[in-house]
Amino acid sequence: MDELEKGLSDIKSSPKEVGTVELIVRRPETGEREVLAHAELDSTHGLVGDNWLTRSDGKGRRATANPDMQINLMNSRSISVIAQTRDRWPLAGDQFYVDLDLSAENLPAGTVLEIGTARLEVTSEPHLGCKKFKERFGKDAVLFVNSDEGKALNLRGINARVTVAGVVKSGDTIRKVD
C-alpha cells in the first residue's frame, strides 16, 4: 500500500485539459485482450470488435449491455503504479489508458471528451475495483482505488459513451470540450 500511495503525487499531476492516449485495448472475448495501434469507435457498438455489446453475465447468459458503460477509460499513471509494468496494463480490462486527470472534479458526468476524431460523454456509472481486479493486482490495489480518495480521483477509471463515431490512434490527443 505504501508503494501505491507514493504514486499519488504523480497521478494527481496528470494534465487536466489535454492529454494523450497511451494504450488502446480491445476485448474480443471474455478474458482476451488485443493491444491496438488504432481503434474505431461507433455509437452503437462502442469500440468496434470489443465484446461490450455481446458479453455474457459470467453464467453463460447474454448480459444486457449498459450504454453508460460502453467505453472504459483509466488513467495511465494510475495503472502504471498498480500494474508496475506496462505489459500488465491490459489486465485491468479497460479499453483506453490515457494521461488525463479523470477525477470527478475535473470530469464530472456529462463532460464531453474529444479522443482522436471521436467524441465521448462521461457517464455517472461508477467504475470500481472488483473481484477480477483483486485477483490480477491484489487486495491493496482494490483498497487503493476504492478508498475515498481513490474514488474521488477515479483511480479505477471512468465510464463513457460514444456520441460521435471516429478513429482513435495510440498517441492521439484526448481533450475536454467546452
Side-chain angles (χ1 to χ4, degrees), residues 2 34 66 72 114 124 136 159 161 173:
D2 289 342
E34 295 176 347
N66 181 345
N72 313 125
E114 186 176 272
S124 61
R136 294 169 183 159
N159 287 297
R161 73 175 91 203
T173 298

Side-chain angles (χ1 to χ4, degrees), residues 153-164:
L153 295 171
N154 286 323
L155 295 182
R156 179 57 194 96
I158 61 173
N159 287 297
R161 73 175 91 203
V162 178
T163 57
V164 176

